């Protein structure tokens, strides 16, 4: 078995799985999609619950191993395809910064955005995993200066992850507009991989809508 064994990506268009697909494109990985229509409950069918009991995408299977959680998947793929140069190796001095912003995404950004979207009071900063929303976001923004990427001149999977998420959170007003964030999203998403995945997502969504009638 080699890393050229195709990755199976369990997929719903226009979801967190889209970011994973962008990464697979950028890594030059061979992959196949298992497309589901979440609006028809297909992520809750026994076949997929056997892959991810939470019924959530993205999930991947590679060389017989299932990985769930978008950040775990991103870290796994970056290490499996080192030749793409999108993930600093363990001994690389940039590795710490890379891990920091990857984990910050899942541990601080998503909980803060979801608390806000769901109207949940995070309570005292000392009792919230991300402190408070504004500090959480300002801390990330500061990491983009001087930029242009989180690791300086070098783009990484961390940027693909953050730009994917900021694109939809800015679009839906879940994150307040800020020139640093907007320019970062524009810079990172101006790539063939994003154009390909977003166009194909649109095609799949329209196809799924038509099938639902
Ligand atoms: N903690 C998961 C969250 C994944 C998630 O919420 N995925 C949504 C799509 S964006 C999903 O699969 N929803 C379908 C469902 O719950 O049935 C991760 O970070 O990967």
């Amino acid at each position: 078995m080699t890393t050229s064994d195709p990755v199976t990506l369990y997929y719903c268009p226009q979801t967190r799985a889209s970011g994973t697909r962008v990464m697979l494109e950028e890594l030059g990985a061979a992959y196949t999609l298992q497309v589901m229509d979440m609006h028809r409950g297909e992520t809750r069918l026994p076949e997929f619950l056997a892959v991810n009991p939470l019924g959530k995408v993205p999930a991947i299977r590679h060389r017989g191993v299932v990985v769930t959680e978008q950040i775990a998947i991103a870290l796994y793929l970056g290490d499996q395809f080192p030749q793409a140069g999108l993930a600093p190796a363990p001994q690389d001095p940039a590795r710490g910064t890379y891990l920091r912003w990857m984990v910050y995404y899942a541990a601080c950004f998503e909980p803060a955005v979801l608390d806000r979207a769901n109207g949940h009071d995070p309570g005292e900063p000392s009792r919230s995993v991300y402190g408070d929303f504004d500090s959480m976001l300002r801390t990330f923004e500061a990491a983009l200066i001087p930029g242009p990427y989180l690791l300086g001149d070098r783009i990484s999977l961390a940027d693909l992850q953050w730009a994917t998420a900021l694109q939809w959170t800015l679009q839906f007003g879940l994150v307040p507009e800020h020139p640093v964030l907007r320019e970062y999203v524009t810079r990172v998403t101006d790539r063939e991989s994003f154009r390909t995945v977003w166009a194909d997502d649109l095609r799949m969504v329209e196809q799924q809508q038509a099938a639902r009638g």
Side-chain angles (χ1 to χ4, degrees):
M1 286 194 189
T2 68
T3 49
S4 64
D5 296 327
V7 175
T8 302
L9 172 60
Y10 297 88
Y11 196 76
C12 298
Q14 294 184 343
T15 65
R16 289 168 174 86
S18 305
T20 306
R21 189 177 178 196
V22 167
M23 292 180 191
L24 287 165
E25 290 279 330
E26 291 278 351
L27 291 165
Y31 69 92
T32 56
L33 296 181
Q34 287 282 325
V35 180
M36 293 171 284
D37 182 351
M38 59 190 258
H39 301 291
R40 283 175 99 166
E42 290 176 1
T43 48
R44 301 293 159 148
L45 293 176
E47 298 89 298
F48 183 58
L49 293 178
V51 176
N52 183 357
L54 299 187
K56 301 283 180 189
V57 294
I60 62 163
R61 189 188 298 276
H62 187 222
R63 302 162 78 192
V65 174
V66 168
V67 187
T68 66
E69 298 302 316
Q70 56 189 329
I71 298 303
I73 295 169
L75 295 174
Y76 173 84
L77 292 176
D79 291 349
Q80 289 291 319
F81 298 92
Q83 66 282 4
L86 289 170
Q91 301 310 321
D92 186 322
R95 179 78 172 184
T97 305
Y98 172 73
L99 291 179
R100 176 184 180 190
W101 295 115
M102 279 293 208
V103 174
Y104 191 90
Y105 175 82
C108 299
F109 179 78
E110 278 221 359
V113 166
L114 291 176
D115 271 355
R116 177 172 272 218
N118 293 326
H120 294 159
D121 178 3
E124 284 300 307
S126 61
R127 296 175 67 86
S128 148
V129 288
Y130 55 86
D132 64 88
F133 187 92
D134 289 342
S135 307
M136 180 286 300
L137 201 57
R138 296 291 92 79
T139 303
F140 175 72
E141 283 163 10
L144 292 177
I145 297 167
Y149 302 113
L150 283 164
L151 302 182
D153 287 335
R154 157 186 187 187
I155 193 164
S156 72
L157 295 186
D159 298 300
L160 303 182
Q161 176 64 40
W162 276 91
T164 297
L166 286 168
Q167 196 276 331
W168 66 266
T169 51
L170 284 168
Q171 182 186 337
F172 292 112
L174 298 173
V175 166
E177 278 294 337
H178 190 292
V180 168
L181 297 179
R182 180 54 72 185
E183 284 160 23
Y184 174 66
V185 171
T186 304
R187 187 181 313 128
V188 176
T189 61
D190 185 17
R191 302 172 75 82
E192 199 52 41
S193 56
F194 279 97
R195 283 188 281 276
T196 301
V197 171
W198 288 352
D200 203 34
D201 270 9
L202 199 56
R203 181 192 63 76
M204 281 187 242
V205 164
E206 285 170 358
Q207 200 174 57
Q208 291 183 341
Q209 278 169 349
R212 261 182 263 134

